[in-house]
Amino acid sequence: MTDQQHKIHKKKMKKLKENIDASIAAATIEKGVGILLTGNGKGKSSSAFGMVMRALGYKYKVGIVQFIKGQQLSGEEIFVRDRCPAVSFHQMKTGFTWETQDRSTDIIAAKKSWAIAEEMLQDDRYHLVVLDELTYMLSFKYLNEDRVLEALNNRPVDQSVVVTGRGGGKALTEWADTVSEIKEVKHAYNSGIKARKGVDL
Amino acid sequence: MTDQQHKIHKKKMKKLKENIDASIAAATIEKGVGILLTGNGKGKSSSAFGMVMRALGYKYKVGIVQFIKGQQLSGEEIFVRDRCPAVSFHQMKTGFTWETQDRSTDIIAAKKSWAIAEEMLQDDRYHLVVLDELTYMLSFKYLNEDRVLEALNNRPVDQSVVVTGRGGGKALTEWADTVSEIKEVKHAYNSGIKARKGVDL
């Protein structure tokens, strides 16, 4: 690398740092954030669990409610159950709707799980609440969207909430402070590779 | 809900289940997967750490190498360091390039970190290896892309690897079995909300 290239690189990095410092200085509001992780790609629930780990690093209280989950626990769920006793962890556990294929029992299960989520959303001891796959409850109309949004909007000011699932709808997108859309560019599945324990499951 | 609506829902769910069952039956190759988590949105590293949690649930051996990380540990890093002693965890720790603003020392640090990653990629005891923010090492040309791809391609057959970071380039995208692009739809940052411990940090 020539001295000239080195100089250009340094200048570029300096500018980048200045821009980032300015943005950091401008962001001064201290409040819990609402995060929506949506899209058809792999990584929505993983990302929510990564944030759970982040919160646990600071010993914050975490609540997780999982909607539409199969009977079998996946790796991160085993980890939370066995190694993170401080986390309040609830699963709807009726299995996927395409396995139960019964709308009425699914609605009852969804409402029960929502009641638990609602309690967390009223409890300021929770620093982080994860509502995994909640979006489907809204798109299937298992839960009332207005009621869900009311609870999200009235939560304690310092509480952060992560909602995951495809779609999500206009109201949830407007509610969220941060929205990431996880797009599937490609998936191992489509090359015939079986789902892996410890990665997919 | 009328009987007719109920019937339609059941039929739709049955079809969905059939499609999913067919795809699961077709995916029979058992091997570790290469995953690239890219894009400008929030959730790439979180998602990688979620997969770490997933692997730890099954008590698999995990290795993490973080490139371009600041001096300060974030929540998930504190958690891994304090609560997951079985994880091999290495951080480049020179701080962000726009903080050091010195290309030569960054390259030395990148190469040192890469040497540790390379060892993991040759060790079949590792079930999952996370190379957090590796893409920047390639786009800044701190590391040689051919050498990186050679190590990724020659890794143990049952080992999965997660690479995170914006961009990634054509070769890395081709290498990966699964690619998710995390798009920023919106970010709390831009509404003036400060980064939160336990969510962003």
Side-chain angles (χ1 to χ4, degrees):
Chain A
M1 188 179 219
T2 64
D3 279 359
Q4 182 59 14
Q5 282 175 311
H6 190 80
K7 237 170 138 179
I8 291 169
H9 179 80
K10 253 194 137 143
K11 210 173 160 185
K12 212 168 118 188
M13 289 294 129
K14 194 164 172 263
K15 186 75 200 149
L16 189 55
K17 179 164 162 52
E18 279 166 10
N19 287 343
I20 286 173
D21 286 350
S23 304
I24 289 171
T28 54
I29 304 165
E30 302 238 23
K31 72 180 223 31
V33 288
I35 298 172
L36 172 63
L37 301 173
T38 185
N40 65 345
K42 175 182 171 51
K44 297 182 288 293
S45 297
S46 313
S47 181
F49 275 89
M51 282 184 254
V52 167
M53 200 190 256
R54 199 165 279 167
L56 291 175
Y58 296 110
K59 300 193 166 34
Y60 289 139
K61 190 166 170 64
V62 176
I64 306 170
V65 179
Q66 290 189 307
F67 297 90
I68 317 197
K69 274 287 163 181
Q71 302 286 355
Q72 221 184 325
L73 286 179
S74 56
E76 73 279 27
E77 297 156 10
I78 296 170
F79 185 86
V80 166
R81 187 197 57 189
D82 294 352
R83 303 265 300 270
C84 311
V87 174
S88 303
F89 182 41
H90 172 81
Q91 290 193 301
M92 208 164 92
K93 260 190 197 158
T94 55
F96 281 87
T97 47
W98 43 84
E99 294 207 345
T100 60
Q101 295 175 33
D102 187 327
R103 199 174 147 89
S104 344
T105 53
D106 282 350
I107 289 176
I108 293 166
K111 286 187 173 166
K112 268 192 194 166
S113 297
W114 174 249
I116 292 165
E118 228 168 19
E119 272 178 35
M120 293 176 179
L121 295 170
Q122 286 163 10
D123 185 342
D124 64 7
R125 291 172 304 166
Y126 287 99
H127 183 88
L128 177 66
V129 175
V130 173
L131 304 174
D132 196 24
E133 314 216 49
L134 175 69
T135 61
Y136 304 102
M137 300 298 99
L138 301 177
S139 55
F140 292 167
K141 301 203 185 305
Y142 287 1
L143 296 176
N144 179 277
E145 191 181 65
D146 290 342
R147 185 163 171 183
V148 167
L149 279 153
E150 204 192 318
L152 290 173
N153 285 322
N154 293 328
R155 73 185 198 279
V157 67
D158 281 325
Q159 188 181 82
S160 294
V161 176
V162 181
V163 173
T164 79
R166 297 189 186 194
K170 204 181 152 205
L172 212 53
T173 304
E174 275 171 13
W175 159 79
D177 303 298
T178 296
V179 179
S180 289
E181 186 198 345
I182 304 186
K183 279 180 61 181
E184 178 178 302
V185 179
K186 59 176 170 174
H187 199 295
Y189 209 70
N190 297 320
S191 326
I193 301 170
K194 219 173 152 178
R196 299 284 292 173
K197 263 187 173 181
V199 176
D200 302 299
L201 306 173
Chain B
M1 187 180 217
T2 64
D3 279 359
Q4 182 58 16
Q5 282 176 312
H6 191 79
K7 236 172 139 178
I8 292 168
H9 180 79
K10 254 195 137 140
K11 209 173 161 185
K12 212 169 118 189
M13 288 293 128
K14 194 164 173 263
K15 185 74 199 151
L16 190 55
K17 180 165 161 53
E18 279 166 8
N19 288 342
I20 286 173
D21 286 350
S23 304
I24 288 171
T28 53
I29 305 166
E30 301 240 23
K31 71 181 223 33
V33 288
I35 298 172
L36 173 63
L37 301 171
T38 184
N40 64 346
K42 174 180 170 51
K44 296 182 289 294
S45 297
S46 313
S47 181
F49 274 89
M51 283 184 252
V52 167
M53 199 189 257
R54 198 164 279 167
L56 291 176
Y58 297 110
K59 299 192 167 35
Y60 289 139
K61 190 168 171 62
V62 176
I64 306 170
V65 179
Q66 290 189 307
F67 297 89
I68 318 199
K69 276 286 163 183
Q71 303 286 356
Q72 220 184 326
L73 286 180
S74 56
E76 73 278 27
E77 296 156 10
I78 296 170
F79 185 86
V80 166
R81 189 197 56 189
D82 293 352
R83 304 267 298 271
C84 311
V87 174
S88 302
F89 181 42
H90 173 81
Q91 291 193 301
M92 208 162 92
K93 260 190 196 159
T94 55
F96 281 86
T97 48
W98 43 85
E99 295 208 344
T100 60
Q101 296 177 32
D102 188 326
R103 198 174 149 90
S104 345
T105 54
D106 282 350
I107 288 176
I108 292 166
K111 286 187 174 168
K112 267 192 193 166
S113 296
W114 174 250
I116 292 164
E118 229 169 17
E119 272 178 34
M120 292 176 179
L121 295 170
Q122 286 163 7
D123 185 342
D124 64 8
R125 291 171 305 166
Y126 286 98
H127 183 88
L128 178 67
V129 175
V130 173
L131 304 174
D132 197 24
E133 315 216 48
L134 175 69
T135 61
Y136 304 102
M137 300 298 100
L138 300 177
S139 57
F140 291 169
K141 301 201 185 308
Y142 287 1
L143 295 176
N144 178 277
E145 191 181 64
D146 291 341
R147 185 163 170 183
V148 166
L149 279 154
E150 205 192 317
L152 290 173
N153 284 321
N154 293 327
R155 74 188 197 278
V157 67
D158 281 326
Q159 187 181 84
S160 294
V161 176
V162 182
V163 173
T164 79
R166 296 190 187 197
K170 205 182 152 203
L172 212 53
T173 304
E174 277 172 10
W175 159 79
D177 302 297
T178 297
V179 179
S180 289
E181 186 197 344
I182 303 184
K183 279 180 60 181
E184 178 179 302
V185 179
K186 60 176 170 173
H187 199 294
Y189 209 68
N190 298 321
S191 324
I193 300 170
K194 218 174 153 177
R196 298 284 291 174
K197 264 188 173 182
V199 176
D200 301 300
L201 305 174

